[in-house]
Amino acid sequence: MEPNNKIKITVITIYAASLVAFGFIVDTPYEIAAGLLRILTRPDTLVTDYIGVGGMGAAFVNSGLLTLMFIFILYKLKLNYSGVTIAALFTISGFAFFGKNIVNVWVIVLGVFVYARFQKEKFAKYVYIALFGTALSPLVTEILFSDIWSLSMRIVVSVLIGLAVGFILPPLSTFLLRAHQGFNLYNIGFTAGIIGTMFVSVFKSYGFFPESQMIWSTGNNFTIACYLAVVFISMIVAGFYLDRDSLSKLKNIFEYPGRLIEDFVFLEGIGPTLVNMGLNGIIATTYVIIVRGAINGPTLAGIFTIVGFSAFGKHCRNIIPIFIGVFLGSLTKVWAINDPAILLAALFGTCLAPIAGEFGWIYGVIAGFVHSSVVLNVGILHGGTNLYNNGFSAGLVAAFLVPVINAFRKEEVE
Amino acid sequence: MKHVNKRMCKIVDEFFTYFVDIGANNITANFKDTDDHYRLYLKSNYKTMDKKKLDQLIKYLNYPKSEEIENYYGELAGESDIDTKLTLVGLMPNR
């Protein structure tokens, strides 16, 4: 392991532990236990806000515990922390507020583990695919908590489906990178969308229809924003403490296009990366507040995912054009800027940031504008079983836009 | 590592893209497969080589060996004609 790996592990562990601590500050242990029970015993298809289901304390404890579990697994695998590690862990933290929990993720992880064994390779080689791949956890719980068969039958079928999903994720996710050439940062979202669509199509053929839902809590903006402010400001302070040259290195970060793979932890160091993460966290939270959106489970997932990928491709120069694109869409299209789906489209749509970084901000605005329409139309394909619905949409948008933009750009070069 | 030969081709592809990007019109590559390692020798002229691009090349090529990232993102190497992904070249070889 690298000598400064301990610093990175310590920093990320502190942030994961802070989620648990905050949970116990806002709720009593009894409320948290009761809330966790509600979270763990129901389907998780989009959109299931765990703050709405189990309360704020239980949702934060679920997020912190799940992140700590994965930190422990990565520690046992003796992996060096890189940008993708931070992106994967913050994605876990975020989605543990809306769809992933301390029980439903493990079957898919086990499926990836079985694939590694089948290939006679180390699980460590596939661990990031396993972490991101937990996006399809609702596919497991949708069957487990349905009423179609006996409980034993549902357990067997849901476990088999989870294993199958985990098994096919590695080859498929690697292959599908080519479709968007790394311009969609949430590649597993694209992959999970394809897998979810296939499985749900088969389900429907046998008369089983996964049901989308809309559990969307409101009224917690002040409390959660206070927690986020402390976290993001502390990231900026820690970044400058760990590296006095963080400011000049941050300017370097702003110069990278962000296309996969742009690992800021390796390229510029953990200090400026933390500053970038804190800054983007503040930008994302401010956006939600300005458009009068709710800070809840799903938007927390969006904010944390932006923060995580700020170690792996995102910075303010390439995410702001996406926000502008979605905002402009709200002025001309039939929905409002703070509708739940559009709020999520703006936050998660920043996975198209590499388009702005590589081709310029105008193309980033166009990408955001197009994405905000496409994302509303693709969820029905996988019946809400893919938590990274925006990653699915962004894969389609990138695969569509990049060749077109590239054709124009080639003419400009000539 | 699976598909080693294909990955070697992708590494050469990435270097060629980089050289062409800096204005090369005369590039030579020599590839040798020995018992215990591969050797790749590349020679190129260039038109515009600023220090920033050279520093970036060195930085990318010094990316530590990372099988878990290589395994997932390795497919991106040699796939784009827009820019290079020399990070992938840096993380593939054993040192």
Side-chain angles (χ1 to χ4, degrees), chain A residues 119 122 124 126 128 174 177-178 181 187-188 259-263 266-268 358 406 409-410, chain B residues 2 59-60 62-64 67-69 71-73 75-76 79-83 85 87-88 91:
Chain A
Q119 294 289 333
K122 291 180 288 185
Y126 300 95
Y128 294 126
T174 308
L177 278 166
R178 296 180 197 163
Q181 297 192 350
N187 177 56
I188 293 279
R259 186 167 77 91
L260 291 171
I261 57 169
E262 215 93 81
D263 187 335
F266 162 72
L267 292 167
E268 302 299 335
E358 188 76 52
N406 204 19
R409 204 165 87 138
K410 273 181 180 170
Chain B
K2 297 180 79 173
K59 195 186 272 186
Y60 283 133
N62 278 319
Y63 198 102
E67 285 184 323
E68 60 278 10
I69 297 177
N71 219 42
Y72 179 16
Y73 294 110
E75 283 296 320
L76 281 173
E79 281 297 316
S80 174
D81 59 351
I82 296 162
D83 69 356
K85 276 293 128 196
T87 314
L88 290 164
L91 62 81

Side-chain angles (χ1 to χ4, degrees), chain A residues 141-169:
Chain A
T141 50
E142 184 64 17
I143 292 172
L144 187 62
F145 297 117
S146 67
D147 53 6
I148 46 173
W149 298 304
S150 65
L151 179 62
S152 55
M153 184 68 175
R154 278 181 277 141
I155 290 173
V156 170
V157 173
S158 59
V159 167
L160 284 176
I161 283 175
L163 287 172
V165 165
F167 194 87
I168 59 178
L169 261 170

Side-chain angles (χ1 to χ4, degrees), chain B residues 8 19 22 25 28 31 36 41 68 75 82-83 92-93:
Chain B
M8 287 302 299
F19 290 143
I22 58 172
N25 58 11
T28 309
F31 170 70
D36 61 345
Y41 178 83
E68 60 278 10
E75 283 296 320
I82 296 162
D83 69 356
M92 281 185 185

Side-chain angles (χ1 to χ4, degrees), chain B residues 11-55:
Chain B
I11 288 172
V12 175
D13 189 319
E14 285 294 336
F15 274 116
F16 267 61
T17 307
Y18 175 79
F19 290 143
V20 170
D21 190 43
I22 58 172
N25 58 11
N26 186 1
I27 308 169
T28 309
N30 182 281
F31 170 70
K32 195 170 183 182
D33 182 358
T34 68
D35 287 343
D36 61 345
H37 69 278
Y38 297 95
R39 200 182 76 172
L40 185 60
Y41 178 83
L42 292 150
K43 187 178 174 185
S44 163
N45 65 343
Y46 55 87
K47 271 185 193 159
T48 51
M49 171 55 92
D50 56 54
K51 190 173 180 311
K52 198 175 170 186
K53 279 196 169 176
L54 191 62
D55 288 344

